[in-house]
Amino acid sequence: MANDPSDRSMETPEPSAPSDPSTQSALSALPGLFAEEGRVRAFAAVALGAGSPAQVAETAGLSSKDTAAALRRLREQGVVTYGDGGELVVAHDRFRDLARAGRPTAATGNPGAGDDDRAAGMIVRTFVKDGRLVRLPARWTRKKVVLRHIAEQTFEPGVEYPERTVDEKLRPWCEDGDVDHVTLRRHLVDLDHLRRSGGTYWRPAESAREGIA
């Protein structure tokens, strides 16, 4: 298989931040996200159980136009999503991810682990921009790193998701990219970052990470 030209830039890893830039960007964007009153009211309405745009508009006291704009921004930042039944819900797992990103990284005492983490961070930064998958790397080991990142950022381990919800969660990663959500889902299953039984998917429990080649 021909090497991805951009893969050659990975040969000499450089130091990177402990958490991925898309998460850090979302973390720093939160104050601005909730600086607008309409978004705060829409978010509060969803948190209180409003499951549709019409219910959000009624609960928050917003116009349909303002509700649509507020929900669009909340979904773009991943703090509001769709539940298994298609209703609007607060993305609690997203807030857990952001909380973890804001914590200091503890030393592991394993010198090799730091090198692998820095290399993985470089790979993710190359192929994931602003929370969007630009394209997949050609090398299998690097493709697995990118797909693992997407799986960890999108799905809680052990939680079962119907196919419709999996597709809904993967679509934002594929906006303006070269890979569609169906192909992305198939890659996640093929590389065992998602498992499937019938129409149900789940992310397996965390496994040991392979080295970056």
Side-chain angles (χ1 to χ4, degrees):
M1 178 185 298
N3 288 343
D4 190 318
S6 63
D7 284 352
R8 290 195 291 271
S9 66
M10 308 300 170
E11 301 303 332
T12 308
E14 62 185 31
S16 62
S19 52
D20 83 271
S22 62
T23 302
Q24 285 290 349
S25 175
L27 187 62
S28 49
L30 275 183
L33 178 67
F34 289 110
E36 201 278 317
E37 182 183 354
R39 291 195 287 267
V40 174
R41 289 162 65 178
F43 180 83
V46 174
L48 290 172
S52 69
Q55 291 173 348
V56 171
E58 181 179 356
T59 303
L62 298 171
S63 68
S64 297
K65 180 180 178 181
D66 288 344
T67 298
L71 290 175
R72 182 175 64 254
R73 290 287 289 119
L74 292 169
R75 290 197 303 271
E76 285 174 353
Q77 291 299 321
V79 298
V80 167
T81 186
Y82 292 101
D84 292 346
E87 74 283 4
L88 292 164
V89 293
V90 172
H92 296 288
D93 53 347
R94 180 61 165 160
F95 282 102
R96 283 194 292 270
D97 291 339
L98 294 174
R100 284 196 293 266
R103 297 188 195 124
T105 303
T108 63
N110 182 350
D115 291 340
D116 277 352
D117 286 345
R118 283 192 292 271
M122 287 188 66
I123 292 167
V124 169
R125 288 197 301 274
T126 299
F127 296 98
V128 176
K129 304 290 187 184
D130 298 324
R132 304 288 190 270
L133 175 63
V134 179
R135 55 192 172 84
L136 285 171
R139 292 193 187 184
W140 184 87
T141 51
R142 289 167 182 170
K143 183 181 295 182
K144 193 165 178 103
V145 168
V146 173
L147 292 170
R148 181 181 64 217
H149 168 81
I150 292 173
E152 290 177 349
Q153 293 295 314
T154 310
F155 305 100
E156 287 292 317
V159 176
E160 294 186 347
Y161 300 90
E163 187 169 286
R164 181 180 66 178
T165 301
V166 172
D167 288 347
E168 197 67 43
K169 285 177 171 290
L170 293 179
R171 280 193 184 96
W173 290 99
C174 301
E175 291 179 7
D176 302 321
D178 292 338
V179 181
D180 60 71
H181 69 279
V182 175
T183 302
L184 179 57
R185 168 163 49 83
R186 185 174 68 249
H187 281 307
L188 288 168
V189 172
D190 289 345
L191 294 183
D192 203 39
H193 291 309
L194 277 183
R195 293 178 183 170
R196 175 179 59 201
S197 178
T200 301
Y201 296 74
W202 68 96
R203 180 162 76 87
E206 193 73 14
S207 58
R209 297 192 170 198
E210 300 176 11
I212 309 302

